Amino acid sequence: MALVRMNISTIVVGGSAGSSLVVLKPHHRRGSNSVELPIRIGSVESSAISMGIDGSAPSRPLTHDLLKSVISSLGAALTGVVINDVRGTTFYAQLRLLTPDGERVQVDARPSDAIALAVRMRTPIYAEESVLDTAALPDFRSVEEDEERQELQKFHDFVEGLSPEDFNAPDASKGDKGGDAPSAPNA
């Protein structure tokens, strides 16, 4: 399957379980439209991703920090994380590891954990094209910007097409009432 490199666009931290979102978007624009991949995650995971992005270090290692240390201590490398499937509203991911002896290992993971680890290890995040085709939404900001550009272009074309004759309206101050003006009743 073809992979598309993704960036974190937005993290929305909600107050209850499953009310948070991480929104991914392609690293490079995909085709004529840009898309966004919203993945529902827990509030703890959204905080863990945010902490990894900010680089804030807790006094004691959290789960994702621990996993980062274990991978590094074993001499392995995280080469990427892949959002590789979606079934209904459930997304699936894999950690792609390279062992010291060159063996490639794939480990099943929740997308939220995979992303939290990726931001800590400065590792690329990918999504399979089939996942984007199934679950991505249009990037509405991009759609709005395209519509605004089209409206401005239409207005520009209209203004460029105006001629002085377009402004020659009958002058009401000279008594030109036109054919449809009502006349005053005779007394």
Side-chain angles (χ1 to χ4, degrees), residues 82-87 90-94 108-111 131:
V82 179
I83 313 301
N84 65 328
D85 197 8
V86 59
R87 295 181 208 145
T90 304
F91 287 84
Y92 297 83
Q94 290 179 332
D108 184 40
R110 297 185 310 170
V131 171

PDB file of all heavy atoms in Angstrom, residues 82-87 90-94 108-111 131:
ATOM      1  N   VAL A  82       2.558   4.124  11.294  1.00  0.00           N
ATOM      2  CA  VAL A  82       1.640   4.087  10.159  1.00  0.00           C
ATOM      3  C   VAL A  82       0.215   3.871  10.657  1.00  0.00           C
ATOM      4  O   VAL A  82      -0.050   2.916  11.395  1.00  0.00           O
ATOM      5  CB  VAL A  82       2.018   2.951   9.173  1.00  0.00           C
ATOM      6  CG1 VAL A  82       1.030   2.904   8.008  1.00  0.00           C
ATOM      7  CG2 VAL A  82       3.437   3.110   8.679  1.00  0.00           C
ATOM      8  N   ILE A  83      -0.680   4.779  10.274  1.00  0.00           N
ATOM      9  CA  ILE A  83      -2.113   4.556  10.482  1.00  0.00           C
ATOM     10  C   ILE A  83      -2.507   3.656   9.316  1.00  0.00           C
ATOM     11  O   ILE A  83      -2.548   4.104   8.170  1.00  0.00           O
ATOM     12  CB  ILE A  83      -2.915   5.881  10.471  1.00  0.00           C
ATOM     13  CG1 ILE A  83      -2.257   6.955  11.347  1.00  0.00           C
ATOM     14  CG2 ILE A  83      -4.366   5.626  10.845  1.00  0.00           C
ATOM     15  CD1 ILE A  83      -2.079   6.605  12.790  1.00  0.00           C
ATOM     16  N   ASN A  84      -2.735   2.383   9.592  1.00  0.00           N
ATOM     17  CA  ASN A  84      -2.827   1.409   8.506  1.00  0.00           C
ATOM     18  C   ASN A  84      -4.211   0.844   8.251  1.00  0.00           C
ATOM     19  O   ASN A  84      -4.402   0.123   7.278  1.00  0.00           O
ATOM     20  CB  ASN A  84      -1.832   0.266   8.746  1.00  0.00           C
ATOM     21  CG  ASN A  84      -2.167  -0.545   9.971  1.00  0.00           C
ATOM     22  OD1 ASN A  84      -2.694  -0.020  10.942  1.00  0.00           O
ATOM     23  ND2 ASN A  84      -1.856  -1.823   9.939  1.00  0.00           N
ATOM     24  N   ASP A  85      -5.197   1.168   9.092  1.00  0.00           N
ATOM     25  CA  ASP A  85      -6.527   0.621   8.847  1.00  0.00           C
ATOM     26  C   ASP A  85      -7.554   1.438   9.602  1.00  0.00           C
ATOM     27  O   ASP A  85      -7.238   2.111  10.589  1.00  0.00           O
ATOM     28  CB  ASP A  85      -6.588  -0.846   9.296  1.00  0.00           C
ATOM     29  CG  ASP A  85      -7.773  -1.612   8.715  1.00  0.00           C
ATOM     30  OD1 ASP A  85      -8.485  -1.070   7.824  1.00  0.00           O
ATOM     31  OD2 ASP A  85      -8.000  -2.764   9.138  1.00  0.00           O
ATOM     32  N   VAL A  86      -8.779   1.353   9.146  1.00  0.00           N
ATOM     33  CA  VAL A  86      -9.917   1.941   9.842  1.00  0.00           C
ATOM     34  C   VAL A  86     -11.099   1.006   9.614  1.00  0.00           C
ATOM     35  O   VAL A  86     -11.340   0.548   8.507  1.00  0.00           O
ATOM     36  CB  VAL A  86     -10.222   3.389   9.373  1.00  0.00           C
ATOM     37  CG1 VAL A  86     -10.531   3.465   7.889  1.00  0.00           C
ATOM     38  CG2 VAL A  86     -11.353   4.001  10.178  1.00  0.00           C
ATOM     39  N   ARG A  87     -11.792   0.703  10.698  1.00  0.00           N
ATOM     40  CA  ARG A  87     -13.001  -0.129  10.643  1.00  0.00           C
ATOM     41  C   ARG A  87     -14.064   0.592  11.452  1.00  0.00           C
ATOM     42  O   ARG A  87     -13.931   0.692  12.673  1.00  0.00           O
ATOM     43  CB  ARG A  87     -12.732  -1.517  11.216  1.00  0.00           C
ATOM     44  CG  ARG A  87     -11.752  -2.305  10.394  1.00  0.00           C
ATOM     45  CD  ARG A  87     -11.527  -3.692  10.971  1.00  0.00           C
ATOM     46  NE  ARG A  87     -10.174  -4.113  10.600  1.00  0.00           N
ATOM     47  CZ  ARG A  87      -9.388  -4.832  11.354  1.00  0.00           C
ATOM     48  NH1 ARG A  87      -9.775  -5.247  12.532  1.00  0.00           N
ATOM     49  NH2 ARG A  87      -8.192  -5.166  10.936  1.00  0.00           N
ATOM     50  N   THR A  90     -13.007   3.027  14.345  1.00  0.00           N
ATOM     51  CA  THR A  90     -11.789   2.587  15.029  1.00  0.00           C
ATOM     52  C   THR A  90     -10.619   2.564  14.054  1.00  0.00           C
ATOM     53  O   THR A  90     -10.687   1.916  13.010  1.00  0.00           O
ATOM     54  CB  THR A  90     -11.978   1.182  15.635  1.00  0.00           C
ATOM     55  OG1 THR A  90     -13.109   1.211  16.510  1.00  0.00           O
ATOM     56  CG2 THR A  90     -10.743   0.745  16.405  1.00  0.00           C
ATOM     57  N   PHE A  91      -9.562   3.279  14.424  1.00  0.00           N
ATOM     58  CA  PHE A  91      -8.346   3.327  13.612  1.00  0.00           C
ATOM     59  C   PHE A  91      -7.322   2.360  14.199  1.00  0.00           C
ATOM     60  O   PHE A  91      -7.318   2.100  15.409  1.00  0.00           O
ATOM     61  CB  PHE A  91      -7.752   4.740  13.597  1.00  0.00           C
ATOM     62  CG  PHE A  91      -8.547   5.711  12.777  1.00  0.00           C
ATOM     63  CD1 PHE A  91      -9.643   6.364  13.316  1.00  0.00           C
ATOM     64  CD2 PHE A  91      -8.200   5.982  11.460  1.00  0.00           C
ATOM     65  CE1 PHE A  91     -10.375   7.257  12.570  1.00  0.00           C
ATOM     66  CE2 PHE A  91      -8.924   6.883  10.704  1.00  0.00           C
ATOM     67  CZ  PHE A  91     -10.022   7.517  11.258  1.00  0.00           C
ATOM     68  N   TYR A  92      -6.431   1.874  13.336  1.00  0.00           N
ATOM     69  CA  TYR A  92      -5.370   0.956  13.733  1.00  0.00           C
ATOM     70  C   TYR A  92      -4.034   1.532  13.262  1.00  0.00           C
ATOM     71  O   TYR A  92      -3.986   2.230  12.248  1.00  0.00           O
ATOM     72  CB  TYR A  92      -5.591  -0.423  13.109  1.00  0.00           C
ATOM     73  CG  TYR A  92      -6.868  -1.066  13.597  1.00  0.00           C
ATOM     74  CD1 TYR A  92      -8.095  -0.753  13.015  1.00  0.00           C
ATOM     75  CD2 TYR A  92      -6.845  -1.965  14.649  1.00  0.00           C
ATOM     76  CE1 TYR A  92      -9.268  -1.326  13.469  1.00  0.00           C
ATOM     77  CE2 TYR A  92      -8.015  -2.549  15.120  1.00  0.00           C
ATOM     78  CZ  TYR A  92      -9.230  -2.222  14.527  1.00  0.00           C
ATOM     79  OH  TYR A  92     -10.394  -2.782  14.992  1.00  0.00           O
ATOM     80  N   ALA A  93      -2.987   1.208  14.001  1.00  0.00           N
ATOM     81  CA  ALA A  93      -1.664   1.732  13.645  1.00  0.00           C
ATOM     82  C   ALA A  93      -0.605   0.669  13.904  1.00  0.00           C
ATOM     83  O   ALA A  93      -0.858  -0.340  14.570  1.00  0.00           O
ATOM     84  CB  ALA A  93      -1.356   2.990  14.456  1.00  0.00           C
ATOM     85  N   GLN A  94       0.579   0.937  13.372  1.00  0.00           N
ATOM     86  CA  GLN A  94       1.736   0.080  13.581  1.00  0.00           C
ATOM     87  C   GLN A  94       2.941   0.949  13.892  1.00  0.00           C
ATOM     88  O   GLN A  94       3.107   2.031  13.328  1.00  0.00           O
ATOM     89  CB  GLN A  94       2.084  -0.720  12.324  1.00  0.00           C
ATOM     90  CG  GLN A  94       1.117  -1.788  11.952  1.00  0.00           C
ATOM     91  CD  GLN A  94       1.559  -2.497  10.675  1.00  0.00           C
ATOM     92  OE1 GLN A  94       2.237  -1.922   9.832  1.00  0.00           O
ATOM     93  NE2 GLN A  94       1.157  -3.739  10.539  1.00  0.00           N
ATOM     94  N   ASP A 108       1.736  -3.793  16.470  1.00  0.00           N
ATOM     95  CA  ASP A 108       0.394  -3.223  16.499  1.00  0.00           C
ATOM     96  C   ASP A 108       0.291  -2.198  17.626  1.00  0.00           C
ATOM     97  O   ASP A 108       0.832  -2.406  18.715  1.00  0.00           O
ATOM     98  CB  ASP A 108      -0.634  -4.342  16.708  1.00  0.00           C
ATOM     99  CG  ASP A 108      -2.065  -3.847  16.653  1.00  0.00           C
ATOM    100  OD1 ASP A 108      -2.374  -2.991  15.799  1.00  0.00           O
ATOM    101  OD2 ASP A 108      -2.882  -4.318  17.475  1.00  0.00           O
ATOM    102  N   ALA A 109      -0.376  -1.079  17.366  1.00  0.00           N
ATOM    103  CA  ALA A 109      -0.516  -0.026  18.377  1.00  0.00           C
ATOM    104  C   ALA A 109      -1.791   0.771  18.138  1.00  0.00           C
ATOM    105  O   ALA A 109      -2.322   0.788  17.026  1.00  0.00           O
ATOM    106  CB  ALA A 109       0.686   0.920  18.317  1.00  0.00           C
ATOM    107  N   ARG A 110      -2.251   1.423  19.180  1.00  0.00           N
ATOM    108  CA  ARG A 110      -3.333   2.386  18.996  1.00  0.00           C
ATOM    109  C   ARG A 110      -2.725   3.612  18.336  1.00  0.00           C
ATOM    110  O   ARG A 110      -1.581   3.982  18.631  1.00  0.00           O
ATOM    111  CB  ARG A 110      -3.950   2.789  20.334  1.00  0.00           C
ATOM    112  CG  ARG A 110      -4.606   1.665  21.083  1.00  0.00           C
ATOM    113  CD  ARG A 110      -5.297   2.127  22.339  1.00  0.00           C
ATOM    114  NE  ARG A 110      -4.429   2.966  23.161  1.00  0.00           N
ATOM    115  CZ  ARG A 110      -4.847   3.655  24.215  1.00  0.00           C
ATOM    116  NH1 ARG A 110      -6.107   3.608  24.594  1.00  0.00           N
ATOM    117  NH2 ARG A 110      -4.009   4.400  24.922  1.00  0.00           N
ATOM    118  N   PRO A 111      -3.455   4.265  17.431  1.00  0.00           N
ATOM    119  CA  PRO A 111      -2.906   5.466  16.783  1.00  0.00           C
ATOM    120  C   PRO A 111      -2.456   6.535  17.774  1.00  0.00           C
ATOM    121  O   PRO A 111      -1.409   7.149  17.587  1.00  0.00           O
ATOM    122  CB  PRO A 111      -4.058   5.969  15.911  1.00  0.00           C
ATOM    123  CG  PRO A 111      -4.856   4.757  15.625  1.00  0.00           C
ATOM    124  CD  PRO A 111      -4.758   3.908  16.871  1.00  0.00           C
ATOM    125  N   VAL A 131      -6.723   4.399   3.959  1.00  0.00           N
ATOM    126  CA  VAL A 131      -7.307   4.992   5.158  1.00  0.00           C
ATOM    127  C   VAL A 131      -7.775   6.415   4.848  1.00  0.00           C
ATOM    128  O   VAL A 131      -8.868   6.823   5.231  1.00  0.00           O
ATOM    129  CB  VAL A 131      -6.306   4.981   6.337  1.00  0.00           C
ATOM    130  CG1 VAL A 131      -6.831   5.781   7.519  1.00  0.00           C
ATOM    131  CG2 VAL A 131      -6.002   3.543   6.754  1.00  0.00           C
TER     132      VAL A 131
END
